[in-house]
């Protein structure tokens, strides 16, 4: 006779099984799916507890059993009709690595989708049990197509048209940028320029809005430059060079995207301005290249590995038929380095 009283009103999930045994959900998933490197004793124990609790296999587990998919898809943003290879960026490489690790631990394969995959037919052919979709644009058609198909989907950052979307992992970009602006202000910067993407990504819109509010509150001049997505693969060199050669040259520049780093640094060299003596330089997204630069560049570390892990965890819960209480906020850290520290 079962000693655990789970009412029929709520479906038993792998989280219930894991909690009863004191093991991870990935262990339960691997045991039930026949994957991973587990002792047979552990598999038998998990299966007995699942039967005792009345656990019923999810759609993903059935897919594995009947040889259909057992996959999670990772969709990266599309820039310039796919001409920009997003995996060249450290941020998305970190997302892909962490998402793959989390998927493998749960007994799933991870598939990277082509940058041009948008419509229902393509998603249906892919046949993934769920999708982690990075950086949706406003009213993203990929997100809409997946919802029409009934495919579970979690976004890393929100669709700006759905600010209250529950199935999302996001960072507080407004607060992140204010923290960076306060740091630059403490270092004496009063003419801070912002270079960002001319796109409807929520992180870009939130960052620009926070910058404008912050400068208005302090009565400081506003200088925003938006880079079109088709401008030589987002190269901000000409924009940064124009700022640095102007009579009212900024004393600090924030470039919000990782791929802006090289263009801004080239502009500083060609304008013969020194970092940080003449201008402070900071980035909105951290990467190993920022830390290795000379001088090392201050940047906001969005912790992409953590974001991906949280997104896959949320997606697995959706696949299991659970409700999620989102959006989920992922912490960011300001990495202060030499590029924004004024010489004594």
């Amino acid at each position: 006779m079962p000693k655990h009283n789970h009412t029929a009103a709520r479906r038993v999930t792998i989280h219930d099984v894991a909690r009863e045994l004191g093991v991870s959900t990935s262990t339960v998933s691997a045991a039930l799916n026949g994957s991973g490197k587990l002792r047979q004793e552990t598999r038998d124990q998990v299966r007995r507890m699942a039967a005792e609790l009345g656990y019923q296999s999810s759609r993903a587990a059935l897919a594995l059993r009947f040889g259909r998919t057992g996959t999670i898809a990772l969709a990266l943003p599309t820039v310039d009709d796919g001409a920009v290879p997003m995996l060249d960026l450290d941020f998305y490489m970190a997302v892909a690595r962490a998402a793959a690790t989390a998927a493998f631990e749960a007994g799933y394969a991870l598939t990277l989708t082509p940058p041009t995959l948008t419509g229902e037919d393509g998603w249906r052919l892919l046949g993934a049990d769920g999708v982690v979709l990075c950086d949706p644009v406003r009213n993203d058609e990929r997100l809409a197509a997946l919802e029409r198909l009934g495919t579970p989907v979690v976004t890393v950052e929100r669709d700006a048209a759905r600010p209250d979307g529950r199935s999302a992992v996001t960072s507080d970009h407004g607060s992140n940028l204010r923290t960076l602006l306060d740091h630059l202000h403490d270092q004496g910067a009063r003419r801070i320029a912002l270079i960002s993407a001319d796109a409807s990504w929520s992180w870009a819109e939130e960052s620009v809005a926070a910058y404008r509010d912050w400068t208005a509150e302090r009565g400081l001049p506003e200088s925003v430059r938006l880079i079109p997505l088709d401008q030589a693969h987002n190269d901000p060199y000409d924009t940064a060079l124009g700022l640095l050669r102007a009579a009212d040259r900024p004393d600090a520049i924030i470039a919000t995207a990782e791929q802006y780093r090289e263009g801004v640094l080239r502009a500083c060299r060609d304008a013969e301005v020194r970092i940080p003596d003449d201008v402070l330089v900071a980035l909105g997204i951290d990467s190993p290249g920022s830390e290795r630069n000379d001088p090392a560049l201050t940047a906001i570390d969005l912790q992409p590995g953590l974001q991906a892990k949280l997104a896959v965890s949320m997606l697995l819960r959706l696949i299991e038929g659970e409700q999620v209480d989102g959006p989920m906020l992922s912490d960011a850290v300001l990495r202060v380095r030499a590029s924004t520290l004024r010489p004594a």
Side-chain angles (χ1 to χ4, degrees):
M1 181 176 182
K3 53 188 186 221
H4 306 279
N5 182 21
H6 287 264
T7 65
R10 186 178 71 84
R11 178 184 172 187
V12 177
T13 71
I14 61 172
H15 292 269
D16 298 316
V17 180
R19 184 165 50 250
E20 294 290 347
L21 291 173
V23 298
S24 67
T25 55
S26 60
T27 296
V28 173
S29 179
L32 296 176
N33 292 337
S35 61
K37 295 181 180 180
L38 300 177
R39 293 183 302 168
Q40 188 59 43
E41 178 185 354
T42 301
R43 294 187 191 278
D44 293 341
Q45 186 180 24
V46 169
R47 288 166 181 166
R48 284 196 299 270
M49 180 59 71
E52 185 177 339
L53 296 176
Y55 171 79
Q56 293 182 346
S57 297
S58 68
R59 183 166 69 92
L62 289 173
L64 284 171
R65 183 177 302 169
F66 293 110
R68 289 190 282 132
T69 59
T71 62
I72 291 172
L74 176 64
L76 302 181
T78 298
V79 175
D80 201 2
D81 295 325
V84 180
M86 302 309 283
L87 279 175
D88 284 355
L89 300 178
D90 291 321
F91 180 89
Y92 292 115
M93 277 298 298
V95 167
R97 283 194 300 267
T101 299
F104 298 162
E105 288 177 351
Y108 287 81
L110 183 79
T111 298
L112 279 170
T113 66
T116 53
L117 180 60
T118 56
E120 291 180 35
D121 290 342
W123 291 114
R124 189 181 291 110
L125 181 63
L126 186 67
D129 297 312
V131 178
V132 173
L133 190 147
C134 295
D135 290 326
V137 295
R138 183 180 290 274
N139 293 311
D140 199 298
E141 174 53 30
R142 297 173 299 170
L143 184 55
L146 288 164
E147 291 179 342
R148 289 193 296 268
L149 289 172
T151 302
V153 56
V154 172
T155 62
V156 176
E157 303 306 341
R158 291 172 287 200
D159 181 332
R162 309 178 183 201
D164 299 321
R166 299 178 66 182
S167 302
V169 175
T170 184
S171 188
D172 188 344
H173 297 285
S175 176
N176 296 343
L177 196 76
R178 281 177 168 272
T179 299
L180 174 54
L181 287 164
D182 287 342
H183 163 68
L184 297 175
H185 191 269
D186 289 344
Q187 292 296 308
R190 296 297 183 268
R191 298 184 310 281
I192 304 172
L194 181 74
I195 299 176
S196 192
D198 187 8
S200 62
W201 292 317
S202 61
W203 63 265
E205 293 187 353
E206 291 170 23
S207 297
V208 171
Y211 168 86
R212 285 178 167 148
D213 288 344
W214 186 90
T215 53
E217 290 164 9
R218 286 159 181 75
L220 297 177
E222 177 186 302
S223 179
V224 176
R225 300 293 187 273
L226 299 179
I227 307 299
L229 293 185
D230 60 352
Q231 180 178 312
H233 301 337
N234 302 316
D235 189 349
Y237 170 79
D238 290 336
T239 298
L241 188 63
L243 286 168
L244 293 170
R245 285 179 171 171
D248 55 348
R249 184 180 73 197
D251 53 14
I253 292 178
I254 299 174
T256 60
E258 175 190 336
Q259 62 265 41
Y260 293 170
R261 181 182 66 234
E262 293 305 320
V264 170
L265 292 177
R266 281 193 295 116
C268 288
R269 288 193 295 269
D270 290 351
E272 298 182 343
V273 298
R274 298 166 299 168
I275 305 172
D277 306 71
D278 303 320
V279 63
L280 308 180
V281 173
L283 297 174
I285 298 178
D286 196 17
S287 67
S290 298
E291 189 173 11
R292 291 193 296 263
N293 190 71
D294 184 19
L297 299 172
T298 291
I300 299 171
D301 182 0
L302 296 175
Q303 303 193 87
L306 174 61
Q307 287 186 308
K309 182 178 179 180
L310 292 173
V312 170
S313 176
M314 181 182 286
L315 181 62
L316 293 175
R317 290 168 58 195
L318 288 175
I319 291 172
E320 287 292 327
E322 293 187 41
Q323 295 293 319
V324 297
D325 186 18
M328 186 178 295
L329 192 65
S330 175
D331 291 334
V333 181
L334 178 63
R335 307 293 183 188
V336 176
R337 301 185 180 113
S339 68
T340 59
L341 295 175
R342 290 284 192 199

